[in-house]
Amino acid sequence: MQLTTAITALALLVPTRLLAAGWPWNKPPDQVTANCLVEPAQVEQGAAVRLRARVEAADTRKHKLAYVWSGNGGQIFGTGAEVELDASRLNPGVYSVAAGVQDAYKNRADCVAHFQVQLPANPLTARCTIEPGEAEAGTTVRVKAEAADQRGQTLRYRWFTNGGVLLPEGAEAALQTAGLAPGQYSITSRVDDEWGHATDCSATLRIILPPPPPIPPELAILAQIIFPRNGAQLGASERQQLQKVLERMQQDSGGIVSIESYAAPDEISPQKLAEARAEAVKHLLMEQGVSESRVHTTVGLGGRLGGVRNRTLDVIWIPEGMEY
């Protein structure tokens, strides 16, 4: 009886010891786990930055693992638990990158990470200038778009206007204004790049009426000097009048003056007196720098009933090109 009991107890103890020793049929199955990550998770369209994708994987039996990467956008570079992803040519949207992890016993786990390509802020800037900004109808003006792209891409220019005829020349254009009525007109350039980004700039042209025709030049009496009887001297008031003559001749170097001097018939030696009066005025003008070629003199005798007018000297302005 005692022997039977001992054998039974020994039989019951054997499985317990084997289980404690970790026999294979009592171990949990081999398991592979994987978790995918991508950094950064958001990137601007066209950015020359590579994303970093990695998988955090584990094998319960610590077997060596192999990695296989795939994705639905971009180009993957590298192997192993961490790779790089070039998304610079992708359009805006959400994309995924996946990793398959497997050990030598075909135990496998898969994971997926997502990243987003965002439409960047508009990288284009443009400024339009026009020369001239004001013109008469019938002239041709030049318009220029000064544009810049932060990414240095090739730019395209399109031109629009609400008046006139535009002749585009890339970043510049010529505007023909024949037939335009007076008013303001807008010229706009749309600048876009290879990615579809676009910006506009505008310039304004003002069409004006042509100036009125110039007023024909006219003769003008710049000074009238009344001499005392039998006198040819210039007093202060006479010199003040001649100062205005000097100012006009300095302002307009093309005109000349005609000095027309008279003497009354009953004055002493009237012919010589009239000449002396003209010479006095001419001499004063030449002393102030007026060329003799710009001063003409005419001498004459007044009529018997002329009164004060017989002793008057006129300084007459003759505009350039006018015959007198």
Side-chain angles (χ1 to χ4, degrees):
M1 182 68 177
Q2 292 179 350
L3 180 60
T4 302
T5 302
I7 294 172
T8 302
L10 180 62
L12 292 173
L13 288 174
V14 170
T16 303
R17 291 177 180 177
L18 292 176
L19 180 61
W23 276 46
W25 54 77
N26 289 319
K27 289 184 177 181
D30 191 1
Q31 186 176 7
V32 177
T33 59
N35 179 42
C36 287
L37 302 169
V38 61
E39 295 177 343
Q42 293 179 334
V43 65
E44 283 191 354
Q45 179 188 19
V49 177
R50 287 189 177 183
L51 284 67
R52 187 166 61 93
R54 73 179 191 276
V55 57
E56 297 174 347
D59 185 304
T60 56
R61 300 281 176 86
K62 301 187 183 302
H63 295 145
K64 187 176 181 180
L65 300 175
Y67 303 86
V68 178
W69 290 91
S70 62
N72 64 350
Q75 186 175 0
I76 297 173
F77 296 89
T79 58
E82 185 172 318
V83 295
E84 290 184 341
L85 177 66
D86 181 5
S88 61
R89 306 296 294 182
L90 295 179
N91 292 324
V94 177
Y95 299 86
S96 61
V97 57
V101 184
Q102 183 173 300
D103 64 12
Y105 300 96
K106 297 186 178 180
N107 298 304
R108 180 183 177 93
D110 297 283
C111 62
V112 178
H114 302 282
F115 63 93
Q116 183 180 17
V117 177
Q118 297 177 323
L119 187 67
N122 195 339
L124 299 179
T125 58
R127 183 175 71 94
C128 285
T129 57
I130 188 169
E131 183 65 33
E134 187 176 271
E136 298 175 19
T139 59
T140 298
V141 299
R142 303 288 303 180
V143 193
K144 182 178 181 181
E146 298 176 351
D149 184 353
Q150 297 175 6
R151 295 189 173 89
Q153 299 184 53
T154 301
L155 301 179
R156 182 179 62 171
Y157 301 82
R158 288 178 289 170
W159 292 92
F160 310 90
T161 184
N162 61 349
V165 178
L166 269 174
L167 303 176
E169 302 171 9
E172 298 186 19
L175 177 66
Q176 297 177 345
T177 64
L180 291 182
Q184 289 190 339
Y185 297 87
S186 178
I187 303 94
T188 300
S189 177
R190 166 150 291 193
V191 185
D192 53 30
D193 63 13
E194 300 169 356
W195 291 93
H197 302 117
T199 189
D200 296 339
C201 66
S202 297
T204 300
L205 170 67
R206 183 168 175 258
I207 295 296
I208 59 174
L209 290 170
I215 299 174
E218 295 181 350
L219 298 174
I221 297 177
L222 300 183
Q224 283 189 324
I225 298 174
I226 301 174
F227 286 92
R229 285 183 59 80
N230 301 315
Q233 293 77 26
L234 296 172
S237 62
E238 289 79 15
R239 291 176 180 273
Q240 187 174 1
Q241 286 194 66
L242 293 176
Q243 182 61 36
K244 295 180 180 179
V245 176
L246 285 168
E247 292 174 359
R248 178 63 179 271
M249 298 189 77
Q250 290 169 353
Q251 292 170 0
D252 188 348
S253 60
I256 62 175
V257 293
S258 175
I259 300 173
E260 300 185 358
S261 178
Y262 301 93
D266 58 350
E267 291 186 277
I268 300 173
S269 302
Q271 182 68 28
K272 291 183 178 180
L273 184 59
E275 292 175 357
R277 289 168 176 170
E279 283 299 318
V281 173
K282 180 178 179 180
H283 181 71
L284 186 145
L285 295 177
M286 292 177 60
E287 276 187 337
Q288 299 299 318
V290 177
S291 172
E292 185 176 6
S293 63
R294 298 183 65 197
V295 182
H296 298 174
T297 58
T298 301
V299 176
L301 297 178
R304 291 186 179 277
L305 301 178
V308 174
R309 182 61 187 153
N310 287 345
R311 294 181 279 112
T312 301
L313 178 146
D314 295 328
V315 181
I316 300 175
W317 173 255
I318 304 174
E320 183 178 8
M322 176 175 283
E323 295 184 2
Y324 176 69

